[in-house]
Amino acid sequence: MMYFRLILFIFLLYQVSAKCPDIISRSGWNASPPGDVTFLRENPPSYIVVHHSATKSCNSKQDCIPLVKSIQNSHINDKKWSDIGYNFLIGGDGNIYEGRGWGIRGAHSVPYNKRSLGICLLGNFEIDNPHNNQLKALEDLLYCARTTNKISENYRLIGHGQRSSTLCPGKNLYNVIKTWPHFDPHPQ
Ligand SMILES: [Zn+2]
């Protein structure tokens, strides 16, 4: 009986944890600490803004970590932001890297920063295609966020360029997300 309860407990624990993919924490990519932290005004937020990094892509943790780190350096040193702009980044290695994380206001899409999470897929998708494992990681992260109440249940998925004059997130990525269920063709 005790063993049965133990197995049931482990099973339930697995069910809860199975909703969310592993996320490489800031310490996992040697992030510099944020200069300042502001929380989202609307939390859980109703928008997810998808970006690309418009850089080379990366296919292993060994390649992706320096790329994430270089994006943080550029956002802090060149753009003078307090931290890496995005809430999460996803490599061509299929790993999710924590940027500002959940509930924190990002710097990635001016009209939406207060009420969205910004997720950046590493690569240039005007030229290349996003990797399948990269898209799967994005889907898993969105599923996790919705089922753990970190984004609104009826969240809207948009590409950066829908409200700003930018090619971001690149046509090859945009063409994928616009077929996904929560995509909003006319964001407000
Ligand atoms: Zn963007």
Side-chain angles (χ1 to χ4, degrees):
M1 192 62 187
M2 224 179 95
Y3 282 118
F4 174 72
R5 280 187 187 164
L6 186 67
I7 288 164
L8 186 68
F9 175 70
I10 291 168
F11 175 72
L12 290 174
L13 202 67
Y14 175 74
Q15 289 292 93
V16 170
S17 61
K19 284 178 184 171
C20 290
D22 287 338
I23 295 174
I24 295 175
S25 67
R26 294 175 66 93
S27 62
W29 57 270
N30 193 28
S32 303
D36 181 42
V37 173
T38 307
F39 294 97
L40 288 172
R41 185 177 292 173
E42 186 189 298
N43 198 20
S46 51
Y47 280 91
I48 294 287
V49 185
V50 176
H51 301 266
H52 72 165
S53 57
T55 61
K56 68 183 175 81
S57 56
C58 58
N59 300 314
S60 67
K61 213 169 146 181
Q62 223 175 349
D63 285 346
C64 292
I65 285 178
L67 187 53
V68 173
K69 184 73 185 162
S70 74
I71 293 169
Q72 187 190 33
N73 288 342
S74 145
H75 287 180
I76 292 176
N77 300 330
D78 305 335
K79 301 204 186 243
K80 309 293 178 198
W81 295 342
S82 60
D83 194 1
I84 193 165
Y86 311 111
N87 296 86
F88 295 95
L89 303 94
I90 302 177
D93 60 347
N95 279 312
I96 301 165
Y97 297 86
E98 182 185 27
R100 297 195 185 196
W102 305 116
I104 309 292
R105 178 177 169 161
H108 55 87
S109 177
V110 172
Y112 293 102
N113 286 335
K114 290 176 233 173
R115 53 193 175 117
S116 73
L117 294 178
I119 304 176
C120 175
L121 275 64
L122 301 174
N124 186 334
F125 307 116
E126 267 302 291
I127 302 163
D128 299 321
N129 284 309
H131 296 210
N132 286 337
N133 57 356
Q134 205 168 13
L135 294 170
K136 170 78 167 53
L138 176 58
E139 274 187 301
D140 289 349
L141 186 65
L142 293 174
Y143 178 78
C144 159
R146 193 170 57 76
T147 53
T148 57
N149 202 34
K150 291 188 173 87
I151 53 177
S152 127
E153 199 182 344
N154 301 313
Y155 75 90
R156 291 148 191 267
L157 180 72
I158 64 170
H160 185 189
Q162 284 178 261
R163 283 294 303 275
S164 306
S165 56
T166 169
L167 292 174
C168 179
K171 59 180 185 295
N172 298 332
L173 175 54
Y174 184 67
N175 285 339
V176 174
I177 62 163
K178 73 183 191 187
T179 67
W180 287 9
H182 286 260
F183 179 75
D184 181 357
H186 306 293
Q188 296 298 308

